[in-house]
Amino acid sequence: MQRTYQYRLYPDQEQEDALDTILRQSCLLYNEALEHRRDVYKHTGQSVSYPAQWERFREDRKARLEDFGLLNATSVQQLLRRLNKAFAAFFRRLKDGDKPGFPRFKPAQRFRSVEYRHGDGCQLTGDRLRVQHVGEVKVQLHRDVPQGCLKHVVVSRKAGKWFVSFQGDDGNEPAEPRTDGKAIGIDMGLHSLMAFSDGTLIDNPRWLRRSLKKLRKAQRALARKTRFSSRWWQCKRRVEVLHAKIANQRKDGLHKLTHQLTEEYALVAVEDISPQFMLKSRPFALSASDASWNLFSSMLDYKAERAGCVVVEVDARHTSQACSGCGHIQKKRLSQRWHSCRCGVQLDRDVNAAVNILKRVRSGPTELNVACS
Ligand SMILES: [Zn+2]
């Protein structure tokens, strides 16, 4: 199975400077490659191919040592492929009759990662990561890296800390789907983070809410500072650190939740939140919880695969309006938290939706022989 393992890096000052330079050079190359594509498109209306760009920047890499001297050839290829993908998506949307935004230039501080192929400019030996032009950087190997995962390597910077991720096949096969056991439906709640069909409501834990409050305060402080002043930079760093902390807290909570779900249940029904469904089924974008939900569903997917649990995505239209007892459609305002029906069903609005989501799996054409209890 495809897996990613991430570890903390502890570069010394000299190594950190070199890593910073690599990110800066990568950013410069990315932006120049983007400019090249934009120019060609403006003049000819044509797209530049990836091989043509590689041809051009392979030469540049050798000729402009000052600008690109620390870059690894494979890293540059990965970078140009990333850009190629962005443009392919741009042209696809153009063809579909959308009005897509042109791929944008990236400011250096937003350019946070560089990719390698293991054994090419980047290699793990013991607890040291040898990075070309940087040296042997200490890695906190808090657990072993499966041999098969030593393939695609990403070195990244987040809020002043450095990390390395190894991606590849860990050699494990997905578990056989369990054929007995319990099933549960989950709704992306309107008032809570998530609601389960068994009546459980999941909310952001108190410590996460506390961090969010601190973040809002720091963001307000940042907005009051003069841009690029030393106080502004100080404040900006604080915002970044808090962002990273919140992301970690959220991730940690979701890891535990998804682990518990996939261990306990044979089937988990969730709403399909692919864009076309979102547009139809959601009254407005719940941007903050969307991020959590995306992370939740990707964790749920890979943990389910390992545990032999089946995840089913269902069309969630009207699940919050319909009664889970009798099916009667009952219009509710967004502020209305309680579902009470003439048939006697009394439920939290989001729990009612979660029960409906689970019911859609049972009623729909499905070959799953899971005992839904
Ligand atoms: Zn009812």
mmCIF file of all heavy atoms in Angstrom, residues 322-328 330 339-345 352, ligand 1:
data_model
loop_
_atom_site.group_PDB
_atom_site.id
_atom_site.type_symbol
_atom_site.label_atom_id
_atom_site.label_comp_id
_atom_site.label_asym_id
_atom_site.label_seq_id
_atom_site.Cartn_x
_atom_site.Cartn_y
_atom_site.Cartn_z
ATOM 1 N N ALA A 322 -34.753 15.251 5.408
ATOM 2 C CA ALA A 322 -35.645 14.093 5.516
ATOM 3 C C ALA A 322 -35.628 13.518 6.930
ATOM 4 O O ALA A 322 -34.605 13.549 7.609
ATOM 5 C CB ALA A 322 -35.216 13.022 4.521
ATOM 6 N N CYS A 323 -36.784 12.996 7.348
ATOM 7 C CA CYS A 323 -36.864 12.361 8.657
ATOM 8 C C CYS A 323 -36.279 10.958 8.561
ATOM 9 O O CYS A 323 -36.597 10.208 7.639
ATOM 10 C CB CYS A 323 -38.305 12.287 9.126
ATOM 11 S SG CYS A 323 -38.499 11.317 10.616
ATOM 12 N N SER A 324 -35.414 10.601 9.512
ATOM 13 C CA SER A 324 -34.792 9.281 9.452
ATOM 14 C C SER A 324 -35.762 8.181 9.891
ATOM 15 O O SER A 324 -35.479 7.003 9.736
ATOM 16 C CB SER A 324 -33.532 9.256 10.313
ATOM 17 O OG SER A 324 -33.844 9.595 11.646
ATOM 18 N N GLY A 325 -36.901 8.596 10.462
ATOM 19 C CA GLY A 325 -37.882 7.605 10.890
ATOM 20 C C GLY A 325 -38.874 7.270 9.785
ATOM 21 O O GLY A 325 -39.086 6.108 9.442
ATOM 22 N N CYS A 326 -39.476 8.307 9.187
ATOM 23 C CA CYS A 326 -40.556 8.055 8.231
ATOM 24 C C CYS A 326 -40.265 8.598 6.838
ATOM 25 O O CYS A 326 -41.030 8.367 5.897
ATOM 26 C CB CYS A 326 -41.851 8.667 8.765
ATOM 27 S SG CYS A 326 -41.762 10.472 8.849
ATOM 28 N N GLY A 327 -39.189 9.333 6.674
ATOM 29 C CA GLY A 327 -38.836 9.830 5.343
ATOM 30 C C GLY A 327 -39.511 11.135 4.961
ATOM 31 O O GLY A 327 -39.244 11.692 3.903
ATOM 32 N N HIS A 328 -40.360 11.638 5.850
ATOM 33 C CA HIS A 328 -41.047 12.891 5.577
ATOM 34 C C HIS A 328 -40.033 14.035 5.436
ATOM 35 O O HIS A 328 -39.142 14.187 6.251
ATOM 36 C CB HIS A 328 -42.014 13.194 6.735
ATOM 37 C CG HIS A 328 -42.654 14.543 6.637
ATOM 38 N ND1 HIS A 328 -43.554 14.863 5.647
ATOM 39 C CD2 HIS A 328 -42.511 15.657 7.400
ATOM 40 C CE1 HIS A 328 -43.930 16.121 5.801
ATOM 41 N NE2 HIS A 328 -43.316 16.623 6.857
ATOM 42 N N GLN A 330 -38.824 17.594 5.803
ATOM 43 C CA GLN A 330 -39.192 18.687 6.674
ATOM 44 C C GLN A 330 -38.144 19.795 6.522
ATOM 45 O O GLN A 330 -36.986 19.622 6.911
ATOM 46 C CB GLN A 330 -39.188 18.176 8.109
ATOM 47 C CG GLN A 330 -39.885 19.066 9.065
ATOM 48 C CD GLN A 330 -39.804 18.482 10.461
ATOM 49 O OE1 GLN A 330 -38.908 17.705 10.785
ATOM 50 N NE2 GLN A 330 -40.728 18.871 11.300
ATOM 51 N N HIS A 339 -34.282 18.052 15.258
ATOM 52 C CA HIS A 339 -35.224 17.471 14.302
ATOM 53 C C HIS A 339 -36.359 16.814 15.092
ATOM 54 O O HIS A 339 -36.127 15.894 15.854
ATOM 55 C CB HIS A 339 -34.507 16.430 13.441
ATOM 56 C CG HIS A 339 -35.428 15.616 12.593
ATOM 57 N ND1 HIS A 339 -35.871 16.043 11.364
ATOM 58 C CD2 HIS A 339 -36.011 14.420 12.811
ATOM 59 C CE1 HIS A 339 -36.689 15.134 10.857
ATOM 60 N NE2 HIS A 339 -36.779 14.138 11.714
ATOM 61 N N SER A 340 -37.554 17.335 14.922
ATOM 62 C CA SER A 340 -38.664 16.661 15.580
ATOM 63 C C SER A 340 -39.766 16.479 14.554
ATOM 64 O O SER A 340 -40.156 17.418 13.856
ATOM 65 C CB SER A 340 -39.125 17.460 16.803
ATOM 66 O OG SER A 340 -40.137 18.342 16.469
ATOM 67 N N CYS A 341 -40.209 15.243 14.422
ATOM 68 C CA CYS A 341 -41.125 14.891 13.335
ATOM 69 C C CYS A 341 -42.483 14.477 13.897
ATOM 70 O O CYS A 341 -42.586 14.033 15.031
ATOM 71 C CB CYS A 341 -40.519 13.771 12.510
ATOM 72 S SG CYS A 341 -41.527 13.292 11.112
ATOM 73 N N ARG A 342 -43.477 14.572 13.054
ATOM 74 C CA ARG A 342 -44.831 14.191 13.463
ATOM 75 C C ARG A 342 -44.925 12.697 13.800
ATOM 76 O O ARG A 342 -45.805 12.261 14.505
ATOM 77 C CB ARG A 342 -45.829 14.541 12.361
ATOM 78 C CG ARG A 342 -45.474 13.865 11.038
ATOM 79 C CD ARG A 342 -46.340 14.337 9.911
ATOM 80 N NE ARG A 342 -45.963 13.606 8.696
ATOM 81 C CZ ARG A 342 -46.422 13.873 7.500
ATOM 82 N NH1 ARG A 342 -47.263 14.855 7.315
ATOM 83 N NH2 ARG A 342 -46.028 13.170 6.464
ATOM 84 N N CYS A 343 -43.935 11.899 13.260
ATOM 85 C CA CYS A 343 -43.968 10.461 13.543
ATOM 86 C C CYS A 343 -43.384 10.157 14.928
ATOM 87 O O CYS A 343 -43.373 9.012 15.360
ATOM 88 C CB CYS A 343 -43.216 9.683 12.482
ATOM 89 S SG CYS A 343 -41.423 9.860 12.602
ATOM 90 N N GLY A 344 -42.883 11.150 15.573
ATOM 91 C CA GLY A 344 -42.390 10.935 16.928
ATOM 92 C C GLY A 344 -40.871 10.918 17.055
ATOM 93 O O GLY A 344 -40.339 10.861 18.159
ATOM 94 N N VAL A 345 -40.171 10.985 15.918
ATOM 95 C CA VAL A 345 -38.703 10.977 15.985
ATOM 96 C C VAL A 345 -38.191 12.314 16.513
ATOM 97 O O VAL A 345 -38.589 13.371 16.028
ATOM 98 C CB VAL A 345 -38.087 10.685 14.597
ATOM 99 C CG1 VAL A 345 -36.601 10.984 14.580
ATOM 100 C CG2 VAL A 345 -38.326 9.238 14.214
ATOM 101 N N ASN A 352 -29.680 13.032 12.916
ATOM 102 C CA ASN A 352 -30.719 12.615 11.973
ATOM 103 C C ASN A 352 -30.130 12.446 10.566
ATOM 104 O O ASN A 352 -30.392 11.466 9.878
ATOM 105 C CB ASN A 352 -31.847 13.652 11.958
ATOM 106 C CG ASN A 352 -32.930 13.309 10.955
ATOM 107 O OD1 ASN A 352 -33.557 12.269 11.051
ATOM 108 N ND2 ASN A 352 -33.111 14.181 9.972
HETATM 109 ZN ZN ZN B 1 -40.752 11.211 10.807
#
